[in-house]
Every structure is written in structure tokens, then in C-alpha cells.
Amino acid sequence: MEIRIQAIHFDATKQLEAFIQKKVSKLEQYYDGIILAEVTLKVVKPETAMNKNAAILVKVKNGDCFAEKTKDTFEEAIDESVEALEKQLVKFKEKSRTK
């Protein structure tokens, strides 16, 4: 699985990129057919709390899964997005089994 990380209007630290790689790569244990994961990070309205937005698009055979969360830190946003994707991938896997 290829993981692409895109930080909009800022530079992601190596530590953040490593965290994303580790978390997103765990999605493979839920569904084998993941081709690509695109992670987009952006800061919304920098002057407010809860301003770190993480969107993850997972491309799988015969479809896509998407999750987007906005939290206080990118780590929290990634965590929750990955959790949402885990559920989606499990459902996707079950659907593809029943076909």
C-alpha cells in the first residue's frame, strides 16, 4: 500500500509523518486490497481551537473509503479518521464477501 501525505500551507514534521505512516499502515489488517491511502492535513482558521483537519482517502479495489476529522491536534484527527476507516473497511470487506 502506498501512503501519500499532503500538508496544505504548512510543512509536516518528520515525527508527524512517521505517526501517520504507522497508523494508516495498520488499516491493511482490516482489508488486504488497499491500493493507496491519501492523507491531507490542513489548519482551518488558525486562531481557533479544534483547528487541525485530517482527511484520509483510501482507494481499494472496486471503491473508495473516506474519513475526515477536525481536532485539537493532527494526531487526534488521524486517530479518529483511522478508526472510522477501520469500520468502513470491515463493512466493505463483508459486502464484498457476500457478493
Side-chain angles (χ1 to χ4, degrees):
M1 166 174 71
E2 181 186 345
I3 301 173
R4 290 189 196 146
I5 301 169
Q6 181 181 14
I8 299 172
H9 302 305
F10 75 98
D11 292 325
T13 63
K14 293 283 179 222
Q15 194 176 2
L16 180 60
E17 286 184 16
F19 177 81
I20 292 167
Q21 292 276 353
K22 184 177 133 192
K23 285 288 183 183
V24 174
S25 63
K26 285 184 181 172
L27 289 173
E28 279 186 305
Q29 68 193 27
Y30 295 94
Y31 188 74
D32 296 334
I34 298 174
I35 302 160
L36 168 72
E38 289 182 357
V39 181
T40 307
L41 305 170
K42 61 185 169 201
V43 178
V44 248
K45 295 185 206 152
E47 66 279 352
T48 62
M50 300 284 282
N51 65 345
K52 308 288 192 298
N53 179 282
I56 306 173
L57 173 67
V58 176
K59 293 188 182 284
V60 292
K61 295 173 193 148
N62 307 324
D64 293 346
C65 293
F66 180 78
E68 181 177 30
K69 300 286 179 198
T70 305
K71 293 283 165 197
D72 278 329
T73 66
F74 284 118
E75 288 81 4
E76 280 181 290
I78 292 291
D79 267 342
E80 289 199 14
S81 297
V82 167
E83 279 177 33
L85 283 168
E86 286 169 5
K87 290 175 189 154
Q88 288 178 39
L89 288 169
V90 167
K91 279 184 186 173
F92 191 83
K93 189 176 185 178
E94 285 170 6
K95 275 186 187 174
S96 61
R97 270 196 194 142
T98 57
K99 286 183 184 175

